[in-house]
PDB file of all heavy atoms in Angstrom:
ATOM      1  N   VAL E 284      -3.292  -0.223 -11.340  1.00  0.00           N
ATOM      2  CA  VAL E 284      -4.714   0.028 -11.088  1.00  0.00           C
ATOM      3  C   VAL E 284      -5.437  -1.276 -10.746  1.00  0.00           C
ATOM      4  O   VAL E 284      -6.665  -1.317 -10.709  1.00  0.00           O
ATOM      5  CB  VAL E 284      -5.391   0.713 -12.301  1.00  0.00           C
ATOM      6  CG1 VAL E 284      -4.846   2.110 -12.488  1.00  0.00           C
ATOM      7  CG2 VAL E 284      -5.224  -0.126 -13.566  1.00  0.00           C
ATOM      8  N   ASN E 285      -4.701  -2.330 -10.468  1.00  0.00           N
ATOM      9  CA  ASN E 285      -5.292  -3.555  -9.950  1.00  0.00           C
ATOM     10  C   ASN E 285      -5.620  -3.346  -8.474  1.00  0.00           C
ATOM     11  O   ASN E 285      -4.772  -2.916  -7.694  1.00  0.00           O
ATOM     12  CB  ASN E 285      -4.308  -4.724 -10.118  1.00  0.00           C
ATOM     13  CG  ASN E 285      -4.935  -6.055  -9.786  1.00  0.00           C
ATOM     14  OD1 ASN E 285      -5.471  -6.256  -8.703  1.00  0.00           O
ATOM     15  ND2 ASN E 285      -4.849  -6.994 -10.716  1.00  0.00           N
ATOM     16  N   THR E 286      -6.854  -3.668  -8.091  1.00  0.00           N
ATOM     17  CA  THR E 286      -7.267  -3.421  -6.704  1.00  0.00           C
ATOM     18  C   THR E 286      -6.539  -4.321  -5.707  1.00  0.00           C
ATOM     19  O   THR E 286      -6.647  -4.124  -4.502  1.00  0.00           O
ATOM     20  CB  THR E 286      -8.785  -3.624  -6.540  1.00  0.00           C
ATOM     21  OG1 THR E 286      -9.139  -4.939  -6.990  1.00  0.00           O
ATOM     22  CG2 THR E 286      -9.553  -2.592  -7.364  1.00  0.00           C
ATOM     23  N   GLY E 287      -5.805  -5.305  -6.196  1.00  0.00           N
ATOM     24  CA  GLY E 287      -4.999  -6.132  -5.310  1.00  0.00           C
ATOM     25  C   GLY E 287      -3.689  -5.490  -4.899  1.00  0.00           C
ATOM     26  O   GLY E 287      -3.009  -5.984  -3.997  1.00  0.00           O
ATOM     27  N   CYS E 288      -3.341  -4.394  -5.541  1.00  0.00           N
ATOM     28  CA  CYS E 288      -2.094  -3.700  -5.221  1.00  0.00           C
ATOM     29  C   CYS E 288      -2.299  -2.807  -4.009  1.00  0.00           C
ATOM     30  O   CYS E 288      -3.237  -2.006  -3.973  1.00  0.00           O
ATOM     31  CB  CYS E 288      -1.653  -2.863  -6.417  1.00  0.00           C
ATOM     32  SG  CYS E 288      -0.144  -1.920  -6.144  1.00  0.00           S
ATOM     33  N   GLY E 289      -1.417  -2.923  -2.995  1.00  0.00           N
ATOM     34  CA  GLY E 289      -1.636  -2.099  -1.820  1.00  0.00           C
ATOM     35  C   GLY E 289      -0.538  -2.153  -0.792  1.00  0.00           C
ATOM     36  O   GLY E 289       0.551  -2.683  -1.026  1.00  0.00           O
ATOM     37  N   MET E 290      -0.858  -1.598   0.383  1.00  0.00           N
ATOM     38  CA  MET E 290       0.061  -1.543   1.519  1.00  0.00           C
ATOM     39  C   MET E 290      -0.698  -1.890   2.795  1.00  0.00           C
ATOM     40  O   MET E 290      -1.782  -1.353   3.041  1.00  0.00           O
ATOM     41  CB  MET E 290       0.671  -0.151   1.664  1.00  0.00           C
ATOM     42  CG  MET E 290       1.657   0.234   0.581  1.00  0.00           C
ATOM     43  SD  MET E 290       2.325   1.904   0.877  1.00  0.00           S
ATOM     44  CE  MET E 290       0.988   2.892   0.191  1.00  0.00           C
ATOM     45  N   TYR E 291      -0.115  -2.779   3.586  1.00  0.00           N
ATOM     46  CA  TYR E 291      -0.652  -3.066   4.910  1.00  0.00           C
ATOM     47  C   TYR E 291      -0.213  -1.986   5.894  1.00  0.00           C
ATOM     48  O   TYR E 291       0.917  -1.496   5.840  1.00  0.00           O
ATOM     49  CB  TYR E 291      -0.153  -4.413   5.426  1.00  0.00           C
ATOM     50  CG  TYR E 291      -0.947  -5.594   4.934  1.00  0.00           C
ATOM     51  CD1 TYR E 291      -0.350  -6.567   4.137  1.00  0.00           C
ATOM     52  CD2 TYR E 291      -2.291  -5.744   5.278  1.00  0.00           C
ATOM     53  CE1 TYR E 291      -1.078  -7.671   3.699  1.00  0.00           C
ATOM     54  CE2 TYR E 291      -3.023  -6.838   4.839  1.00  0.00           C
ATOM     55  CZ  TYR E 291      -2.413  -7.790   4.047  1.00  0.00           C
ATOM     56  OH  TYR E 291      -3.134  -8.877   3.616  1.00  0.00           O
ATOM     57  N   ALA E 292      -1.131  -1.643   6.803  1.00  0.00           N
ATOM     58  CA  ALA E 292      -0.768  -0.821   7.960  1.00  0.00           C
ATOM     59  C   ALA E 292      -0.567  -1.790   9.122  1.00  0.00           C
ATOM     60  O   ALA E 292      -1.524  -2.242   9.761  1.00  0.00           O
ATOM     61  CB  ALA E 292      -1.865   0.191   8.262  1.00  0.00           C
ATOM     62  N   LYS E 293       0.683  -2.147   9.369  1.00  0.00           N
ATOM     63  CA  LYS E 293       1.022  -3.171  10.345  1.00  0.00           C
ATOM     64  C   LYS E 293       1.266  -2.543  11.716  1.00  0.00           C
ATOM     65  O   LYS E 293       2.068  -1.610  11.843  1.00  0.00           O
ATOM     66  CB  LYS E 293       2.272  -3.929   9.894  1.00  0.00           C
ATOM     67  CG  LYS E 293       2.674  -5.074  10.804  1.00  0.00           C
ATOM     68  CD  LYS E 293       3.886  -5.806  10.244  1.00  0.00           C
ATOM     69  CE  LYS E 293       4.305  -6.941  11.170  1.00  0.00           C
ATOM     70  NZ  LYS E 293       5.489  -7.664  10.637  1.00  0.00           N
ATOM     71  N   PRO E 294       0.596  -3.016  12.761  1.00  0.00           N
ATOM     72  CA  PRO E 294       0.755  -2.414  14.090  1.00  0.00           C
ATOM     73  C   PRO E 294       2.209  -2.469  14.568  1.00  0.00           C
ATOM     74  O   PRO E 294       2.885  -3.488  14.431  1.00  0.00           O
ATOM     75  CB  PRO E 294      -0.144  -3.276  14.983  1.00  0.00           C
ATOM     76  CG  PRO E 294      -1.139  -3.874  14.048  1.00  0.00           C
ATOM     77  CD  PRO E 294      -0.404  -4.100  12.769  1.00  0.00           C
ATOM     78  N   ASP E 295       2.664  -1.344  15.093  1.00  0.00           N
ATOM     79  CA  ASP E 295       3.994  -1.262  15.719  1.00  0.00           C
ATOM     80  C   ASP E 295       3.804  -1.595  17.201  1.00  0.00           C
ATOM     81  O   ASP E 295       3.277  -0.783  17.966  1.00  0.00           O
ATOM     82  CB  ASP E 295       4.555   0.150  15.535  1.00  0.00           C
ATOM     83  CG  ASP E 295       5.972   0.301  16.060  1.00  0.00           C
ATOM     84  OD1 ASP E 295       6.388  -0.513  16.912  1.00  0.00           O
ATOM     85  OD2 ASP E 295       6.663   1.241  15.644  1.00  0.00           O
ATOM     86  N   MET E 296       4.231  -2.780  17.611  1.00  0.00           N
ATOM     87  CA  MET E 296       3.960  -3.238  18.969  1.00  0.00           C
ATOM     88  C   MET E 296       4.724  -2.447  20.018  1.00  0.00           C
ATOM     89  O   MET E 296       4.373  -2.450  21.200  1.00  0.00           O
ATOM     90  CB  MET E 296       4.285  -4.728  19.093  1.00  0.00           C
ATOM     91  CG  MET E 296       3.470  -5.599  18.142  1.00  0.00           C
ATOM     92  SD  MET E 296       1.680  -5.313  18.270  1.00  0.00           S
ATOM     93  CE  MET E 296       1.360  -5.913  19.918  1.00  0.00           C
ATOM     94  N   ALA E 297       5.770  -1.735  19.608  1.00  0.00           N
ATOM     95  CA  ALA E 297       6.541  -0.927  20.554  1.00  0.00           C
ATOM     96  C   ALA E 297       5.938   0.461  20.737  1.00  0.00           C
ATOM     97  O   ALA E 297       6.275   1.164  21.692  1.00  0.00           O
ATOM     98  CB  ALA E 297       7.992  -0.818  20.088  1.00  0.00           C
ATOM     99  N   ASN E 298       5.052   0.854  19.825  1.00  0.00           N
ATOM    100  CA  ASN E 298       4.441   2.190  19.884  1.00  0.00           C
ATOM    101  C   ASN E 298       2.935   2.043  19.642  1.00  0.00           C
ATOM    102  O   ASN E 298       2.488   1.985  18.492  1.00  0.00           O
ATOM    103  CB  ASN E 298       5.056   3.112  18.832  1.00  0.00           C
ATOM    104  CG  ASN E 298       6.533   3.344  19.046  1.00  0.00           C
ATOM    105  OD1 ASN E 298       6.935   4.075  19.959  1.00  0.00           O
ATOM    106  ND2 ASN E 298       7.362   2.717  18.204  1.00  0.00           N
ATOM    107  N   ARG E 299       2.202   1.961  20.724  1.00  0.00           N
ATOM    108  CA  ARG E 299       0.761   1.739  20.648  1.00  0.00           C
ATOM    109  C   ARG E 299       0.085   2.839  19.834  1.00  0.00           C
ATOM    110  O   ARG E 299       0.345   4.028  20.045  1.00  0.00           O
ATOM    111  CB  ARG E 299       0.167   1.700  22.058  1.00  0.00           C
ATOM    112  CG  ARG E 299      -1.313   1.367  22.103  1.00  0.00           C
ATOM    113  CD  ARG E 299      -1.792   1.292  23.545  1.00  0.00           C
ATOM    114  NE  ARG E 299      -3.211   1.036  23.617  1.00  0.00           N
ATOM    115  CZ  ARG E 299      -3.778  -0.168  23.545  1.00  0.00           C
ATOM    116  NH1 ARG E 299      -3.016  -1.226  23.409  1.00  0.00           N
ATOM    117  NH2 ARG E 299      -5.091  -0.311  23.618  1.00  0.00           N
ATOM    118  N   GLY E 300      -0.769   2.442  18.891  1.00  0.00           N
ATOM    119  CA  GLY E 300      -1.481   3.405  18.058  1.00  0.00           C
ATOM    120  C   GLY E 300      -0.744   3.782  16.793  1.00  0.00           C
ATOM    121  O   GLY E 300      -1.250   4.580  15.998  1.00  0.00           O
ATOM    122  N   THR E 301       0.448   3.230  16.581  1.00  0.00           N
ATOM    123  CA  THR E 301       1.218   3.498  15.368  1.00  0.00           C
ATOM    124  C   THR E 301       1.168   2.274  14.460  1.00  0.00           C
ATOM    125  O   THR E 301       1.321   1.137  14.909  1.00  0.00           O
ATOM    126  CB  THR E 301       2.678   3.831  15.699  1.00  0.00           C
ATOM    127  OG1 THR E 301       2.717   5.044  16.456  1.00  0.00           O
ATOM    128  CG2 THR E 301       3.500   4.024  14.431  1.00  0.00           C
ATOM    129  N   TYR E 302       0.945   2.530  13.175  1.00  0.00           N
ATOM    130  CA  TYR E 302       0.899   1.472  12.168  1.00  0.00           C
ATOM    131  C   TYR E 302       1.921   1.803  11.088  1.00  0.00           C
ATOM    132  O   TYR E 302       1.866   2.871  10.472  1.00  0.00           O
ATOM    133  CB  TYR E 302      -0.498   1.378  11.538  1.00  0.00           C
ATOM    134  CG  TYR E 302      -1.584   1.006  12.502  1.00  0.00           C
ATOM    135  CD1 TYR E 302      -2.128   1.951  13.381  1.00  0.00           C
ATOM    136  CD2 TYR E 302      -2.092  -0.283  12.548  1.00  0.00           C
ATOM    137  CE1 TYR E 302      -3.132   1.615  14.266  1.00  0.00           C
ATOM    138  CE2 TYR E 302      -3.100  -0.640  13.425  1.00  0.00           C
ATOM    139  CZ  TYR E 302      -3.613   0.316  14.283  1.00  0.00           C
ATOM    140  OH  TYR E 302      -4.613  -0.025  15.167  1.00  0.00           O
ATOM    141  N   ASN E 303       2.859   0.899  10.862  1.00  0.00           N
ATOM    142  CA  ASN E 303       3.866   1.088   9.831  1.00  0.00           C
ATOM    143  C   ASN E 303       3.361   0.524   8.508  1.00  0.00           C
ATOM    144  O   ASN E 303       2.851  -0.600   8.451  1.00  0.00           O
ATOM    145  CB  ASN E 303       5.168   0.395  10.223  1.00  0.00           C
ATOM    146  CG  ASN E 303       5.751   0.975  11.501  1.00  0.00           C
ATOM    147  OD1 ASN E 303       5.759   2.186  11.694  1.00  0.00           O
ATOM    148  ND2 ASN E 303       6.234   0.113  12.387  1.00  0.00           N
ATOM    149  N   LEU E 304       3.497   1.309   7.439  1.00  0.00           N
ATOM    150  CA  LEU E 304       2.988   0.882   6.137  1.00  0.00           C
ATOM    151  C   LEU E 304       4.042   0.066   5.394  1.00  0.00           C
ATOM    152  O   LEU E 304       5.180   0.497   5.251  1.00  0.00           O
ATOM    153  CB  LEU E 304       2.545   2.081   5.302  1.00  0.00           C
ATOM    154  CG  LEU E 304       1.068   2.467   5.516  1.00  0.00           C
ATOM    155  CD1 LEU E 304       0.861   3.087   6.883  1.00  0.00           C
ATOM    156  CD2 LEU E 304       0.554   3.378   4.439  1.00  0.00           C
ATOM    157  N   GLU E 305       3.620  -1.107   4.935  1.00  0.00           N
ATOM    158  CA  GLU E 305       4.500  -2.022   4.231  1.00  0.00           C
ATOM    159  C   GLU E 305       3.780  -2.565   3.000  1.00  0.00           C
ATOM    160  O   GLU E 305       2.559  -2.722   3.015  1.00  0.00           O
ATOM    161  CB  GLU E 305       4.894  -3.203   5.134  1.00  0.00           C
ATOM    162  CG  GLU E 305       5.594  -2.797   6.415  1.00  0.00           C
ATOM    163  CD  GLU E 305       5.900  -3.995   7.298  1.00  0.00           C
ATOM    164  OE1 GLU E 305       5.506  -5.127   6.915  1.00  0.00           O
ATOM    165  OE2 GLU E 305       6.522  -3.801   8.353  1.00  0.00           O
ATOM    166  N   PRO E 306       4.508  -2.886   1.918  1.00  0.00           N
ATOM    167  CA  PRO E 306       3.867  -3.454   0.727  1.00  0.00           C
ATOM    168  C   PRO E 306       3.144  -4.755   1.059  1.00  0.00           C
ATOM    169  O   PRO E 306       3.609  -5.538   1.895  1.00  0.00           O
ATOM    170  CB  PRO E 306       5.038  -3.720  -0.230  1.00  0.00           C
ATOM    171  CG  PRO E 306       6.148  -2.855   0.264  1.00  0.00           C
ATOM    172  CD  PRO E 306       5.966  -2.732   1.745  1.00  0.00           C
ATOM    173  N   ASN E 307       1.990  -4.967   0.435  1.00  0.00           N
ATOM    174  CA  ASN E 307       1.320  -6.250   0.622  1.00  0.00           C
ATOM    175  C   ASN E 307       1.928  -7.284  -0.319  1.00  0.00           C
ATOM    176  O   ASN E 307       2.987  -7.061  -0.911  1.00  0.00           O
ATOM    177  CB  ASN E 307      -0.190  -6.104   0.422  1.00  0.00           C
ATOM    178  CG  ASN E 307      -0.579  -5.884  -1.038  1.00  0.00           C
ATOM    179  OD1 ASN E 307       0.239  -5.474  -1.857  1.00  0.00           O
ATOM    180  ND2 ASN E 307      -1.838  -6.131  -1.359  1.00  0.00           N
ATOM    181  N   GLU E 308       1.272  -8.403  -0.477  1.00  0.00           N
ATOM    182  CA  GLU E 308       1.855  -9.504  -1.223  1.00  0.00           C
ATOM    183  C   GLU E 308       1.636  -9.385  -2.727  1.00  0.00           C
ATOM    184  O   GLU E 308       1.893 -10.324  -3.473  1.00  0.00           O
ATOM    185  CB  GLU E 308       1.275 -10.837  -0.731  1.00  0.00           C
ATOM    186  CG  GLU E 308       1.637 -11.191   0.704  1.00  0.00           C
ATOM    187  CD  GLU E 308       0.702 -10.564   1.717  1.00  0.00           C
ATOM    188  OE1 GLU E 308      -0.225  -9.826   1.303  1.00  0.00           O
ATOM    189  OE2 GLU E 308       0.890 -10.796   2.918  1.00  0.00           O
ATOM    190  N   TYR E 309       1.131  -8.249  -3.200  1.00  0.00           N
ATOM    191  CA  TYR E 309       0.915  -8.074  -4.638  1.00  0.00           C
ATOM    192  C   TYR E 309       2.241  -8.201  -5.381  1.00  0.00           C
ATOM    193  O   TYR E 309       3.231  -7.555  -5.037  1.00  0.00           O
ATOM    194  CB  TYR E 309       0.270  -6.717  -4.906  1.00  0.00           C
ATOM    195  CG  TYR E 309      -0.129  -6.505  -6.348  1.00  0.00           C
ATOM    196  CD1 TYR E 309      -1.211  -7.195  -6.887  1.00  0.00           C
ATOM    197  CD2 TYR E 309       0.573  -5.632  -7.159  1.00  0.00           C
ATOM    198  CE1 TYR E 309      -1.585  -7.006  -8.193  1.00  0.00           C
ATOM    199  CE2 TYR E 309       0.201  -5.434  -8.485  1.00  0.00           C
ATOM    200  CZ  TYR E 309      -0.875  -6.133  -8.993  1.00  0.00           C
ATOM    201  OH  TYR E 309      -1.240  -5.952 -10.302  1.00  0.00           O
ATOM    202  N   ALA E 310       2.262  -9.015  -6.430  1.00  0.00           N
ATOM    203  CA  ALA E 310       3.522  -9.490  -7.000  1.00  0.00           C
ATOM    204  C   ALA E 310       4.315  -8.435  -7.766  1.00  0.00           C
ATOM    205  O   ALA E 310       5.542  -8.399  -7.684  1.00  0.00           O
ATOM    206  CB  ALA E 310       3.254 -10.686  -7.914  1.00  0.00           C
ATOM    207  N   THR E 311       3.636  -7.577  -8.520  1.00  0.00           N
ATOM    208  CA  THR E 311       4.379  -6.757  -9.487  1.00  0.00           C
ATOM    209  C   THR E 311       4.747  -5.361  -8.998  1.00  0.00           C
ATOM    210  O   THR E 311       5.592  -4.712  -9.588  1.00  0.00           O
ATOM    211  CB  THR E 311       3.566  -6.625 -10.792  1.00  0.00           C
ATOM    212  OG1 THR E 311       2.317  -5.965 -10.514  1.00  0.00           O
ATOM    213  CG2 THR E 311       3.298  -7.985 -11.395  1.00  0.00           C
ATOM    214  N   VAL E 312       4.089  -4.901  -7.931  1.00  0.00           N
ATOM    215  CA  VAL E 312       4.385  -3.554  -7.414  1.00  0.00           C
ATOM    216  C   VAL E 312       4.573  -3.635  -5.900  1.00  0.00           C
ATOM    217  O   VAL E 312       3.659  -4.041  -5.190  1.00  0.00           O
ATOM    218  CB  VAL E 312       3.248  -2.558  -7.747  1.00  0.00           C
ATOM    219  CG1 VAL E 312       3.551  -1.196  -7.134  1.00  0.00           C
ATOM    220  CG2 VAL E 312       3.044  -2.434  -9.257  1.00  0.00           C
ATOM    221  N   HIS E 313       5.747  -3.245  -5.428  1.00  0.00           N
ATOM    222  CA  HIS E 313       6.011  -3.194  -3.993  1.00  0.00           C
ATOM    223  C   HIS E 313       5.763  -1.755  -3.533  1.00  0.00           C
ATOM    224  O   HIS E 313       6.676  -0.931  -3.457  1.00  0.00           O
ATOM    225  CB  HIS E 313       7.442  -3.649  -3.708  1.00  0.00           C
ATOM    226  CG  HIS E 313       7.715  -5.053  -4.144  1.00  0.00           C
ATOM    227  ND1 HIS E 313       7.258  -6.147  -3.449  1.00  0.00           N
ATOM    228  CD2 HIS E 313       8.344  -5.537  -5.243  1.00  0.00           C
ATOM    229  CE1 HIS E 313       7.614  -7.246  -4.075  1.00  0.00           C
ATOM    230  NE2 HIS E 313       8.274  -6.910  -5.169  1.00  0.00           N
ATOM    231  N   ALA E 314       4.505  -1.489  -3.239  1.00  0.00           N
ATOM    232  CA  ALA E 314       4.058  -0.113  -3.073  1.00  0.00           C
ATOM    233  C   ALA E 314       4.583   0.524  -1.792  1.00  0.00           C
ATOM    234  O   ALA E 314       4.661  -0.126  -0.740  1.00  0.00           O
ATOM    235  CB  ALA E 314       2.532  -0.069  -3.080  1.00  0.00           C
ATOM    236  N   ASN E 315       4.927   1.812  -1.896  1.00  0.00           N
ATOM    237  CA  ASN E 315       5.286   2.605  -0.727  1.00  0.00           C
ATOM    238  C   ASN E 315       4.801   4.050  -0.845  1.00  0.00           C
ATOM    239  O   ASN E 315       5.176   4.902  -0.041  1.00  0.00           O
ATOM    240  CB  ASN E 315       6.801   2.581  -0.488  1.00  0.00           C
ATOM    241  CG  ASN E 315       7.582   3.229  -1.617  1.00  0.00           C
ATOM    242  OD1 ASN E 315       7.003   3.691  -2.610  1.00  0.00           O
ATOM    243  ND2 ASN E 315       8.906   3.269  -1.480  1.00  0.00           N
ATOM    244  N   SER E 316       3.967   4.337  -1.874  1.00  0.00           N
ATOM    245  CA  SER E 316       3.496   5.692  -2.119  1.00  0.00           C
ATOM    246  C   SER E 316       2.075   5.648  -2.679  1.00  0.00           C
ATOM    247  O   SER E 316       1.591   4.586  -3.090  1.00  0.00           O
ATOM    248  CB  SER E 316       4.417   6.408  -3.122  1.00  0.00           C
ATOM    249  OG  SER E 316       5.755   6.408  -2.686  1.00  0.00           O
ATOM    250  N   PHE E 317       1.408   6.816  -2.680  1.00  0.00           N
ATOM    251  CA  PHE E 317       0.104   6.962  -3.309  1.00  0.00           C
ATOM    252  C   PHE E 317       0.250   7.807  -4.567  1.00  0.00           C
ATOM    253  O   PHE E 317       1.103   8.697  -4.639  1.00  0.00           O
ATOM    254  CB  PHE E 317      -0.898   7.642  -2.376  1.00  0.00           C
ATOM    255  CG  PHE E 317      -1.172   6.894  -1.105  1.00  0.00           C
ATOM    256  CD1 PHE E 317      -1.466   7.582   0.057  1.00  0.00           C
ATOM    257  CD2 PHE E 317      -1.168   5.506  -1.066  1.00  0.00           C
ATOM    258  CE1 PHE E 317      -1.723   6.915   1.240  1.00  0.00           C
ATOM    259  CE2 PHE E 317      -1.426   4.818   0.106  1.00  0.00           C
ATOM    260  CZ  PHE E 317      -1.706   5.531   1.261  1.00  0.00           C
ATOM    261  N   TYR E 318      -0.623   7.559  -5.536  1.00  0.00           N
ATOM    262  CA  TYR E 318      -0.569   8.289  -6.802  1.00  0.00           C
ATOM    263  C   TYR E 318      -1.979   8.431  -7.345  1.00  0.00           C
ATOM    264  O   TYR E 318      -2.745   7.467  -7.379  1.00  0.00           O
ATOM    265  CB  TYR E 318       0.331   7.529  -7.790  1.00  0.00           C
ATOM    266  CG  TYR E 318       0.345   8.060  -9.196  1.00  0.00           C
ATOM    267  CD1 TYR E 318       0.705   9.378  -9.469  1.00  0.00           C
ATOM    268  CD2 TYR E 318       0.028   7.224 -10.274  1.00  0.00           C
ATOM    269  CE1 TYR E 318       0.737   9.857 -10.766  1.00  0.00           C
ATOM    270  CE2 TYR E 318       0.067   7.688 -11.574  1.00  0.00           C
ATOM    271  CZ  TYR E 318       0.415   9.006 -11.815  1.00  0.00           C
ATOM    272  OH  TYR E 318       0.458   9.480 -13.105  1.00  0.00           O
ATOM    273  N   ILE E 319      -2.342   9.651  -7.775  1.00  0.00           N
ATOM    274  CA  ILE E 319      -3.630   9.914  -8.390  1.00  0.00           C
ATOM    275  C   ILE E 319      -3.441   9.941  -9.902  1.00  0.00           C
ATOM    276  O   ILE E 319      -2.670  10.745 -10.422  1.00  0.00           O
ATOM    277  CB  ILE E 319      -4.230  11.243  -7.908  1.00  0.00           C
ATOM    278  CG1 ILE E 319      -4.358  11.245  -6.386  1.00  0.00           C
ATOM    279  CG2 ILE E 319      -5.585  11.486  -8.555  1.00  0.00           C
ATOM    280  CD1 ILE E 319      -5.293  10.208  -5.829  1.00  0.00           C
ATOM    281  N   ALA E 320      -4.139   9.036 -10.598  1.00  0.00           N
ATOM    282  CA  ALA E 320      -3.985   8.904 -12.050  1.00  0.00           C
ATOM    283  C   ALA E 320      -5.327   9.098 -12.739  1.00  0.00           C
ATOM    284  O   ALA E 320      -6.386   8.890 -12.144  1.00  0.00           O
ATOM    285  CB  ALA E 320      -3.430   7.527 -12.393  1.00  0.00           C
ATOM    286  N   GLN E 321      -5.268   9.500 -14.013  1.00  0.00           N
ATOM    287  CA  GLN E 321      -6.482   9.552 -14.814  1.00  0.00           C
ATOM    288  C   GLN E 321      -6.361   8.516 -15.931  1.00  0.00           C
ATOM    289  O   GLN E 321      -5.292   8.311 -16.505  1.00  0.00           O
ATOM    290  CB  GLN E 321      -6.730  10.940 -15.390  1.00  0.00           C
ATOM    291  CG  GLN E 321      -5.694  11.428 -16.398  1.00  0.00           C
ATOM    292  CD  GLN E 321      -6.063  12.783 -16.975  1.00  0.00           C
ATOM    293  OE1 GLN E 321      -7.024  13.406 -16.529  1.00  0.00           O
ATOM    294  NE2 GLN E 321      -5.305  13.241 -17.955  1.00  0.00           N
ATOM    295  N   ILE E 322      -7.451   7.843 -16.202  1.00  0.00           N
ATOM    296  CA  ILE E 322      -7.454   6.769 -17.169  1.00  0.00           C
ATOM    297  C   ILE E 322      -8.470   7.097 -18.263  1.00  0.00           C
ATOM    298  O   ILE E 322      -9.669   7.185 -18.002  1.00  0.00           O
ATOM    299  CB  ILE E 322      -7.821   5.427 -16.506  1.00  0.00           C
ATOM    300  CG1 ILE E 322      -6.855   5.113 -15.358  1.00  0.00           C
ATOM    301  CG2 ILE E 322      -7.838   4.299 -17.532  1.00  0.00           C
ATOM    302  CD1 ILE E 322      -7.216   3.870 -14.576  1.00  0.00           C
ATOM    303  N   LYS E 323      -7.960   7.303 -19.481  1.00  0.00           N
ATOM    304  CA  LYS E 323      -8.849   7.505 -20.620  1.00  0.00           C
ATOM    305  C   LYS E 323      -9.150   6.188 -21.317  1.00  0.00           C
ATOM    306  O   LYS E 323     -10.208   6.004 -21.895  1.00  0.00           O
ATOM    307  CB  LYS E 323      -8.221   8.498 -21.601  1.00  0.00           C
ATOM    308  CG  LYS E 323      -8.037   9.894 -21.011  1.00  0.00           C
ATOM    309  CD  LYS E 323      -7.444  10.853 -22.015  1.00  0.00           C
ATOM    310  CE  LYS E 323      -7.249  12.235 -21.399  1.00  0.00           C
ATOM    311  NZ  LYS E 323      -6.638  13.199 -22.352  1.00  0.00           N
ATOM    312  N   SER E 324      -8.207   5.281 -21.245  1.00  0.00           N
ATOM    313  CA  SER E 324      -8.385   3.926 -21.768  1.00  0.00           C
ATOM    314  C   SER E 324      -7.302   3.069 -21.143  1.00  0.00           C
ATOM    315  O   SER E 324      -6.399   3.576 -20.476  1.00  0.00           O
ATOM    316  CB  SER E 324      -8.268   3.904 -23.294  1.00  0.00           C
ATOM    317  OG  SER E 324      -6.917   4.133 -23.688  1.00  0.00           O
ATOM    318  N   LEU E 325      -7.352   1.780 -21.388  1.00  0.00           N
ATOM    319  CA  LEU E 325      -6.326   0.904 -20.833  1.00  0.00           C
ATOM    320  C   LEU E 325      -4.957   1.212 -21.416  1.00  0.00           C
ATOM    321  O   LEU E 325      -3.934   0.874 -20.833  1.00  0.00           O
ATOM    322  CB  LEU E 325      -6.692  -0.562 -21.096  1.00  0.00           C
ATOM    323  CG  LEU E 325      -7.911  -1.087 -20.324  1.00  0.00           C
ATOM    324  CD1 LEU E 325      -8.198  -2.526 -20.726  1.00  0.00           C
ATOM    325  CD2 LEU E 325      -7.687  -0.985 -18.819  1.00  0.00           C
TER     326      LEU E 325
END
């Protein structure tokens, strides 16, 4: 739930208008999916 965790949509230069999703530089999670969570406390 750190807002620094994410995925870049990197342009695919061989296919105009297509963006490939890749993990960003966030250290602890190499993200490749989305998840909806509920937080009652930390």
Side-chain angles (χ1 to χ4, degrees):
V284 293
N285 188 305
T286 56
C288 179
M290 290 181 278
Y291 276 117
K293 183 177 179 180
D295 184 338
M296 300 307 294
N298 298 286
R299 184 178 177 84
T301 296
Y302 297 78
N303 298 318
L304 270 71
E305 301 177 357
N307 72 340
E308 295 85 359
Y309 186 72
T311 62
V312 177
H313 299 284
N315 64 359
S316 304
F317 299 148
Y318 172 57
I319 303 297
Q321 65 177 7
I322 303 175
K323 296 181 181 179
S324 71
L325 291 177

